[in-house]
Amino acid sequence: MKSSISQAAFPKLLRSQIAFDIARTIRDGFDKHYRLFRQTSQQAKLHFEQGAWGEAQTAARERIGFYDKRVQECVQMLEDEYEQTELTDEVWRELKLHFIGMLSDHKQPELAESFFNSVCCNILHRSYFHNEFIFVRPVVSTEYIETEEIAPTYRVYYPATDGLHYTLKRIVTNFQLNAEFADLNRDIDLVEARLKSIFGNAKLEPNHQIQVLSSLFFRNKGAYIVGKGINGNREFPFVVPILHNRQGQLVLDTVLFDHEQITILFSFTRAYFLVDMEVPSAYVQFLRSLLPRKPRSEIYTILGLQKQGKTLFYRDYLQHLKHSSDQFEIAPGIRGLVMLVFALPSFPYVFKVIKDFFPPPKETSRALIKEKYLLVKHHDRVGRMADTLEYSNVAFPRHRFTDDLVDELKHFAPSLVEEDGEQLIIKHLYIERRMVPLNIWLSNAEKEHDEVQLEHGIVEYGNAIKELVAANIFPGDMLYKNFGVTRHQRVVFYDYDEIEYITDCQFRAIPQARTEEEEMASEPWYPIGKSDVFPEQFGAFLLGNPRIRHYFMKHHADLLTPEWWQARKQRIQQGIVEDVFPYPQYIRFCNQHTSAPAVTPPPFMETLENE
């Protein structure tokens, strides 16, 4: 919506002290937020150096809540300071102009604009959510923002002048990690050899250089060097993971060059990185040069700036609506008992609404389901749980909805749906990237007699469960319909209403029947607690298909034994943080003589960058 504020009126409006003070309060609230955000990212380096994995996980979880806390602090300050009658339309128009002026030399203007929107939307009614009062579109440019610190956004190295080995060593040592490397020269030799094996004796062009982002990317138990090589008109992205070995020394674990592997590292199914960024837009621009098909919204999100990711996603969504004409419809697949899921066929996401009532055997509530989704947001998703975007009071064009979909929404979630003229308002929903439900994916593989795809699907399904367990997550409902297959052929869990911590579950063996009557009884004769889980029963609802059973027993028979689950639970209770690698084991330097697994994903496709 075009602003009604004319250029001629602009100088006359800027005379309200209230508007100026509110704008300054919001800016100061954002500056406090980003200062604390950066402090957490800077502390990640210390946690990594010390191998303090528990503290690192706690800090990463707590950082997710920083934004909402600062917004609420700011809202409370404004509500305490000003009467509603003082906040006239003229004041709101003017305070936005004051705020724009305060961002002229700001290092994070796009984030500050989103913070402004969050504060205003907590105070204003949704009928005021337009361009006169909030930033529907960005106003302050993020192009060519300069850093004030000594270190620029990225460093440039010239291997043709300095030699490749020396250059690679400088890249690593410039991060000044306060921890001992086991054998840095050996690791540099391995990186150099991998480089030469991939690129051979390519002719070096005059502009040959290596660019590396100045801050390390921290996540879980790893630190990642992110950069690209430039030679002529070609660019070669790379990532070098740094890990601790068993003696607590640092090692360069591998080097990622494969575009698909780098994309998966930055997947929407993984926890957010902790990166110290003075100018986040510059980091996003650099990463987009490595991952040109990944939306900016997802790049901001994976950097831990999920609110900015939400802002950009919503702008992309509005732009897509403007340039499309298809209708929203019920998403394909088995309909859930808890969520009503719909989609726009031309848009690669699904929209999920919690129903108002749940048929048996579901025993839950909307509040409990929201808690589960919040748990996933704050937890390490280890590449196996889809991230979700949560929105309130979303206005959809009514004419883009089929009547059947509107009828279903009004039937299953009447408290969340409101028609307002030509708009359909949904008061609360989640948005996730669209995936192929695993049950449909396996069924298609079986119909096409594709044994490779069928086996791959089951291998990935079991791996997903095992990696979730390593992160202390029990999926609860393990049916195939609750898992999806990404464009990278990875299996991801996306139905969170029954998840539990592994440490809250009791994994039991089924007791031996004492009599023939007990053995033949239709109901269990033994007592079952609310947290009891019997892995031996999984096969009854997962392995009815003989071909699926064959591949499951070949690769994941241990999942049917209570001993396996009990052992994992014990390790978690002992405080052991498991290693979950965001890249294949066979590319690690310590496994460089190990061949690739027999079952591998299908060949890389050009459209896979969007995971």
Side-chain angles (χ1 to χ4, degrees):
M1 179 176 180
K2 188 175 180 180
S3 173
S4 62
I5 302 174
S6 67
Q7 287 287 82
F10 187 90
K12 299 177 183 179
L13 286 172
L14 300 184
R15 56 191 177 195
S16 168
Q17 187 63 41
I18 291 178
F20 179 82
D21 291 344
I22 292 175
R24 184 172 56 189
T25 297
I26 297 175
R27 185 206 59 192
D28 291 348
F30 169 75
D31 288 346
K32 177 182 178 181
H33 158 66
Y34 200 70
R35 182 174 67 253
L36 295 174
F37 181 92
R38 287 193 70 185
Q39 285 177 5
T40 303
S41 302
Q42 291 160 0
Q43 289 167 358
K45 181 173 182 284
L46 180 63
H47 292 146
F48 175 76
E49 291 167 342
Q50 297 177 346
W53 311 129
E55 290 89 336
Q57 287 183 335
T58 299
R61 283 195 299 268
E62 290 179 346
R63 189 188 66 169
I64 294 171
F66 282 4
Y67 185 92
D68 288 337
K69 289 181 180 178
R70 300 293 87 77
V71 168
Q72 289 306 314
E73 283 178 6
C74 203
V75 169
Q76 191 64 53
M77 289 174 63
L78 295 178
E79 290 180 342
D80 291 345
E81 185 71 21
Y82 303 102
E83 296 293 336
Q84 192 66 37
T85 54
E86 296 180 277
L87 305 180
T88 64
D89 286 3
E90 286 70 26
V91 167
W92 281 109
R93 291 188 183 96
E94 184 172 338
L95 78 88
K96 179 182 175 183
L97 297 177
H98 278 300
F99 194 80
I100 292 171
M102 293 174 183
L103 299 183
S104 60
D105 294 317
H106 208 278
K107 304 301 180 185
Q108 308 92 30
E110 77 283 22
L111 308 187
E113 289 178 355
S114 291
F115 189 87
F116 181 96
N117 287 353
S118 296
V119 173
C120 292
C121 290
N122 270 269
I123 298 174
L124 293 168
H125 184 268
R126 68 167 182 267
S127 60
Y128 286 87
F129 296 177
H130 52 78
N131 207 37
E132 287 185 81
F133 303 114
I134 65 173
F135 295 93
V136 176
R137 295 187 298 271
V139 172
V140 181
S141 173
T142 59
E143 296 293 322
Y144 307 113
I145 298 177
E146 296 292 336
T147 59
E148 291 181 353
E149 298 177 356
I150 296 175
T153 297
Y154 60 88
R155 303 186 185 102
V156 182
Y157 303 85
Y158 301 96
T161 302
D162 301 328
L164 183 56
H165 184 95
Y166 177 76
T167 298
L168 293 173
K169 191 169 184 178
R170 273 188 63 209
I171 289 172
V172 176
T173 56
N174 277 349
F175 289 106
Q176 299 180 352
L177 286 167
N178 187 24
E180 180 185 0
F181 277 87
D183 190 340
L184 183 56
N185 285 320
R186 175 205 62 194
D187 293 349
I188 294 297
D189 286 341
L190 292 169
V191 173
E192 185 177 10
R194 185 76 59 86
L195 274 166
K196 290 180 177 177
S197 69
I198 292 174
F199 300 110
N201 297 316
K203 178 184 176 183
L204 298 185
E205 301 292 342
N207 70 335
H208 180 54
Q209 60 189 274
I210 296 176
Q211 297 180 358
V212 178
L213 285 169
S214 297
S215 292
L216 288 166
F217 286 54
F218 296 98
R219 185 172 66 193
N220 300 335
K221 298 168 72 174
Y224 298 85
I225 299 171
V226 178
K228 60 183 176 182
I230 297 175
N231 193 43
N233 61 357
R234 300 186 68 187
E235 295 187 356
F236 306 93
F238 68 88
V239 178
V240 180
I242 308 174
L243 303 180
H244 287 251
N245 64 15
R246 292 180 180 177
Q247 289 72 44
Q249 299 168 311
L250 300 183
V251 295
L252 305 182
D253 195 52
T254 186
V255 55
L256 306 179
F257 292 106
D258 182 86
H259 198 82
E260 181 179 5
Q261 291 171 357
I262 294 175
T263 302
I264 291 174
L265 179 71
F266 289 91
S267 167
F268 68 93
T269 62
R270 299 195 179 276
Y272 309 133
F273 284 106
L274 287 89
V275 190
D276 181 24
M277 304 170 288
E278 184 183 17
V279 182
S281 58
Y283 274 72
V284 171
Q285 183 177 352
F286 189 97
L287 290 171
R288 285 211 80 196
S289 71
L290 311 185
L291 305 165
R293 295 185 182 177
K294 185 169 283 291
R296 285 191 305 136
S297 60
E298 288 190 11
I299 296 178
Y300 272 104
T301 297
I302 201 64
L303 292 173
L305 301 166
Q306 63 269 24
K307 295 298 181 178
Q308 184 64 18
K310 282 181 61 176
T311 297
L312 293 178
F313 172 87
Y314 194 68
R315 287 172 180 162
D316 290 343
Y317 155 75
L318 292 176
Q319 192 75 358
H320 182 86
L321 273 185
K322 188 183 299 182
H323 294 90
S324 62
S325 59
D326 53 335
Q327 288 193 306
F328 290 94
E329 57 187 32
I330 296 292
I334 299 173
R335 299 189 182 184
L337 300 178
V338 169
M339 291 284 194
L340 193 154
V341 185
F342 62 94
L344 190 67
S346 61
F347 196 56
Y349 295 85
V350 295
F351 302 78
K352 304 173 71 171
V353 178
I354 303 174
K355 295 179 179 180
D356 280 4
F357 54 89
F358 317 107
K362 289 290 184 182
E363 295 181 3
T364 187
S365 66
R366 175 175 285 115
L368 184 59
I369 293 166
K370 291 172 75 172
E371 284 182 18
K372 301 288 188 181
Y373 273 77
L374 191 61
L375 182 156
V376 172
K377 173 68 70 175
H378 286 78
H379 203 79
D380 179 8
R381 292 185 294 281
V382 293
R384 297 299 185 175
M385 291 191 288
D387 195 10
T388 56
L389 300 173
E390 185 177 6
Y391 289 91
S392 299
N393 295 317
V394 180
F396 293 89
R398 170 62 179 84
H399 72 277
R400 299 290 293 273
F401 278 65
T402 64
D403 290 338
D404 288 344
L405 175 54
V406 173
D407 290 343
E408 290 224 19
L409 284 167
K410 288 184 175 180
H411 174 71
F412 289 108
S415 70
L416 296 179
V417 181
E418 176 185 334
E419 288 200 59
D420 184 5
E422 297 180 353
Q423 292 183 328
L424 186 74
I425 310 298
I426 298 183
K427 298 176 184 177
H428 182 264
L429 58 75
Y430 296 99
I431 302 176
E432 289 179 358
R433 181 168 283 281
R434 185 166 59 207
M435 291 173 271
V436 179
L438 179 58
N439 60 310
I440 294 177
W441 200 83
L442 293 173
S443 177
N444 290 339
E446 191 172 19
K447 288 176 184 176
E448 296 169 4
H449 304 288
D450 191 333
E451 294 298 317
V452 172
Q453 288 283 69
L454 192 64
E455 183 174 9
H456 174 71
I458 294 302
V459 169
E460 270 289 292
Y461 169 75
N463 287 344
I465 292 174
K466 289 176 177 178
E467 291 178 12
L468 289 173
V469 171
N472 195 19
I473 290 292
F474 177 61
D477 191 344
M478 293 167 58
L479 293 175
Y480 302 127
K481 70 181 181 67
N482 297 322
F483 292 76
V485 183
T486 72
R487 296 183 180 185
H488 285 284
Q489 315 297 318
R490 287 174 54 80
V491 170
V492 173
F493 185 56
Y494 55 53
D495 192 340
Y496 306 140
D497 60 280
E498 291 191 17
I499 64 170
E500 300 287 349
Y501 290 119
I502 291 290
T503 48
D504 289 340
C505 299
Q506 300 296 327
F507 298 98
R508 296 176 53 193
I510 298 175
Q512 287 288 335
R514 295 168 297 185
T515 65
E516 184 176 345
E517 288 77 11
E518 288 180 344
E519 186 173 355
M520 301 300 294
S522 59
E523 297 293 331
W525 58 268
Y526 46 89
I528 300 177
K530 188 175 181 180
S531 61
D532 286 348
V533 179
F534 298 89
E536 296 161 272
Q537 294 181 332
F538 294 165
F541 55 87
L542 292 176
L543 306 180
N545 184 308
R547 293 163 70 190
I548 288 178
R549 180 179 181 84
H550 167 73
Y551 293 124
F552 188 94
M553 298 306 292
K554 175 181 177 182
H555 297 284
H556 300 299
D558 47 3
L559 290 176
L560 303 181
T561 65
E563 292 79 13
W564 184 89
W565 295 86
Q566 291 164 357
R568 269 57 192 177
K569 176 181 175 179
Q570 185 178 17
R571 289 177 62 83
I572 295 169
Q573 290 173 326
Q574 292 171 347
I576 298 173
V577 179
E578 302 287 359
D579 293 310
V580 179
F581 295 90
Y583 44 84
Q585 284 284 307
Y586 63 86
I587 69 169
R588 300 179 64 204
F589 290 142
C590 61
N591 297 328
Q592 62 179 351
H593 301 300
T594 304
S595 60
V599 180
T600 56
F604 174 69
M605 298 183 293
E606 287 298 321
T607 58
L608 294 183
E609 284 88 342
N610 282 332
E611 184 181 343

